[in-house]
Amino acid sequence: MAEPPAAPQPGSAPRASGRERMMEIFKGGLAGAKPAVPVIVEELERLAREKLPPQACDYVAGGAGSGATMLANLRGFERWRIVPRMLRDVAQRDWGLELFGQRLPAPLLLAPVGVQGILHPDAELATARAAAAAGVPFVLSTAASRTIEQVAEAIGGGPRWFQLYWGRDNNLAASMVSRAERAGYGAIVLTLDTPTLGWRERDLAHPYIPFLEGDGLANYFSDPVFRAALAQPPEQNPRAAIEYWASIFTNLRLGWNDIAFLRRHTRLPLLVKGIVHPDDASSAVAAGADAVIVSNHGGRQVDGAIGALDALPGVVQAVAGAVPVLFDSGVRRGADAAKALALGAKAVLLGRPYVWGLAAAGEQGVREMVANFLGDLDLTLALSGFASLAELNPSCLVRDAG
Ligand code: FNR
């Protein structure tokens, strides 16, 4: 008799097989069931849009200025083509990798996306549970609708990292980092591209920014350093707490020397997110960062900025293997991830697609979106002739001739 399959352990979820995922969906079809969560990412977005108020939709979909950088992110992938190889025995495949002593089942993380409470009542808790089910790390935003501690509880033993927005108060930054450390987060992701919010035309047109309505401030309102600075607690005087937040959120003074402060305050791996210039990548390594995330924040900060994938090879070259390079901004499908991995990214972060899943169907929406993405990635890599991440390199791609 066949042994029953072992229960999935957090952090070592079963290897995603694209074929199994595909058959599951097709068999559901035989029984007359359409996938409750659309497989096609554009349809998932459409369903999410139907469910969301226009200002929440635009908050997610919008970018800086004209949206040119968002477009550049997507176009970057079109300029590369995979050249599949044949007859390479890809029956046994392993997309697992080790990052900072953690074993990940696939080169995928869920990117920090703030204010998930405007998208679904379960907010980051739904995302956390879905990430834990897949064994994929969830990077919790500073600007979340649920606290560091609540998300840690929801995620159970699953891997989680904490993304830091370093505002004007160093003690507050240190406090949040130590809360994350106590709550079992495995790494700190310091976002460098948002010392203040970019000029986002759609948000300005409404005009709408969730934070001024008190959304996305759970980590501030629950923080002892933040609370100590207020005359009255946020529960009693939310308006004053929001105004205080607005006065300390931005910090345009930070420089590379400040990284040392964070290094002193945490023993966790420290990643810097938002790097697109090779020289900044070198500065990050020199400042002691444990990894670099190539990202332009999904085109939300600098209109007209370089597409993230276009920036990846230069950063990989500058880092020269000193630390891992991760990647986000524009990843929509397995092929996108395959291209970023071939160009030297160790792992990719999914952003808007899982957020549309959350808005469309809560935890189930994120779960299925992630399962489909992993299934697609598995089949894309397998059918291209690869069985492990180590086999991927730039020679697996060619520039698009068209
Ligand atoms: C983000 N992103 C982001 N990044 C971060 O470091 N902290 C944050 O709080 C947020 N919040 C946030 C909200 C929304 C609605 C979006 C769409 C994005 C950026 C995110 O981590 C990631 O870099 C981008 O989402 C990648 O671009 P795509 O692939 O989603 O287009």
Side-chain angles (χ1 to χ4, degrees):
M1 204 175 90
E3 278 189 46
Q9 298 297 310
S12 65
R15 184 173 57 74
S17 153
R19 197 178 155 276
E20 276 165 32
R21 177 68 186 161
M22 208 163 75
M23 293 314 283
E24 196 183 326
I25 294 172
F26 284 139
K27 282 182 182 161
L30 281 181
K34 261 202 131 197
V37 176
V39 172
I40 301 169
V41 72
E42 291 78 12
E43 281 182 14
L44 184 60
E45 175 174 345
R46 210 169 301 138
L47 179 62
R49 283 173 176 275
E50 278 167 27
K51 298 205 171 185
L52 288 175
Q55 70 271 22
C57 246
D58 281 343
Y59 182 69
V60 175
S66 67
T69 305
M70 288 195 296
L71 211 57
N73 286 341
L74 301 180
R75 288 199 175 141
F77 292 99
E78 288 171 19
R79 283 195 283 273
W80 291 103
R81 298 283 157 197
I82 302 164
V83 189
R85 303 296 306 274
M86 302 297 127
L87 295 181
R88 303 230 300 196
D89 186 357
V90 292
Q92 296 295 323
R93 303 181 298 284
D94 183 3
W95 310 125
L97 71 155
E98 182 120 344
L99 259 185
F100 314 125
Q102 285 173 279
R103 186 82 198 152
L104 306 186
L108 182 72
L109 300 94
L110 300 192
V113 168
V115 237
Q116 297 187 10
I118 63 170
L119 304 170
H120 191 274
D122 296 338
E124 286 84 1
L125 303 185
T127 304
R129 290 187 194 112
V136 163
F138 173 38
V139 188
L140 176 70
S141 166
T142 296
S145 304
R146 296 290 185 274
T147 66
I148 292 167
E149 294 78 11
Q150 288 167 333
V151 168
E153 201 185 316
I155 222 164
R160 66 269 198 177
W161 297 1
F162 179 66
Q163 175 268 322
L164 180 69
Y165 277 137
W166 189 344
R168 208 155 293 177
D169 182 347
N170 281 359
N171 291 333
L172 178 59
S175 173
M176 287 204 191
V177 165
S178 64
R179 284 170 64 193
E181 211 165 294
R182 279 198 301 276
Y185 287 71
I188 302 295
V189 173
L190 175 64
T191 297
L192 302 182
D193 56 28
T194 312
T196 191
L197 295 178
W199 182 263
R200 299 180 187 166
E201 290 184 1
R202 293 199 207 177
D203 294 342
L204 290 160
H206 279 292
Y208 169 73
I209 189 75
F211 310 110
L212 293 185
E213 300 184 7
D215 287 325
L217 304 184
N219 282 323
Y220 294 90
F221 285 11
S222 58
D223 193 279
V225 172
F226 184 87
R227 295 173 72 91
L230 302 172
Q232 291 169 295
E235 302 78 41
Q236 266 174 39
N237 192 346
R239 187 48 37 207
I242 293 167
E243 271 163 30
Y244 177 63
W245 170 84
S247 75
I248 55 129
F249 174 69
T250 65
N251 185 355
L252 290 152
R253 289 184 190 279
L254 284 173
W256 285 108
N257 289 340
D258 293 305
I259 302 285
F261 171 86
L262 266 196
R263 282 261 65 132
R264 281 200 305 278
H265 277 84
T266 183
R267 47 180 181 74
L268 293 177
L270 179 62
L271 297 85
V272 290
K273 174 172 179 279
I275 300 290
V276 288
H277 196 295
D279 292 353
D280 281 350
S282 303
S283 300
V285 173
D290 295 296
V292 164
I293 305 181
V294 170
S295 166
N296 57 28
H297 211 107
R300 296 164 74 78
Q301 286 298 96
V302 179
D303 189 21
I306 182 172
L309 197 74
D310 299 326
L312 179 61
V315 169
V316 168
Q317 195 183 7
V319 166
V323 296
V325 175
L326 280 63
F327 176 87
D328 79 28
S329 296
V331 176
R332 299 290 176 268
R333 291 186 160 80
D336 302 333
K339 291 174 188 178
L341 295 167
L343 291 175
K346 181 113 175 152
V348 301
L349 291 84
L350 259 185
R352 289 184 176 94
Y354 90 77
V355 174
W356 296 130
L358 174 69
E363 179 185 340
Q364 188 194 3
V366 183
R367 256 182 204 253
E368 300 213 4
M369 195 282 138
V370 169
N372 291 340
F373 185 89
L374 290 174
D376 177 12
L377 177 61
D378 175 47
L379 284 180
T380 301
L381 291 175
L383 294 172
S384 300
F386 306 112
S388 75
L389 297 174
E391 295 165 29
L392 290 163
N393 61 60
S395 76
C396 307
L397 307 178
V398 290
R399 293 296 266 180
D400 184 60

